[in-house]
Amino acid sequence: MADHVQVSTATETREQAVELARSAVAGRLAAGAQIIGPVISAFWHEGEFGTGEEWQLLLKTRKDRYTELERHLLAHHPWENPELVAVPIVAGADAYLRWVDAVVGTHASQ
């Protein structure tokens, strides 16, 4: 079973994505984050079809830290019901994954 996950979410602005990334990484809930954007999304929201520009945020963490990271992102996200998903990292460079482990560890965030 994969010990690491990549977590994704999106925000309306670059600044919102940067702040979520900064706070999650500073709190050692994620080892690192990348912000991609702007991207165009197509979606259903409140019964209406729409498209919009968003900023995608990708965060790397350990699977056992996901719950804390999710709680943090939901508490600080500007949207009421944001996309928030995690996918397993099934393979990766050993040195990189050891770095993720060292950064986020298995301890409670500081």
Side-chain angles (χ1 to χ4, degrees):
M1 185 177 297
D3 292 332
H4 304 90
V5 293
Q6 178 171 277
V7 178
S8 65
T9 191
T11 62
E12 184 176 3
T13 69
R14 179 183 183 276
E15 293 75 20
Q16 291 167 340
V18 168
E19 180 53 29
L20 281 177
R22 187 206 59 74
S23 63
V25 173
R28 294 187 179 260
L29 299 172
Q34 291 80 37
I35 298 166
I36 304 164
V39 298
I40 303 301
S41 294
F43 50 86
W44 284 95
H45 180 68
E46 298 181 352
E48 302 264 337
F49 177 79
T51 60
E53 189 174 276
E54 298 177 344
W55 292 81
Q56 186 176 36
L57 177 58
L58 304 174
L59 304 109
K60 291 11 167 245
T61 193
R62 289 186 49 85
K63 184 178 177 184
D64 59 4
R65 298 301 303 279
Y66 173 78
T67 300
E68 290 175 87
L69 178 57
E70 177 188 271
R71 188 176 308 121
H72 174 84
L73 293 173
L74 290 174
H76 296 91
H77 203 288
W79 295 342
E80 184 177 324
N81 184 26
E83 167 195 355
L84 186 55
V85 297
V87 295
I89 298 173
V90 298
D94 287 339
Y96 176 77
L97 297 177
R98 283 194 307 271
W99 171 77
V100 172
D101 291 341
V103 171
V104 301
T106 57
H107 59 282
S109 61
Q110 301 173 352

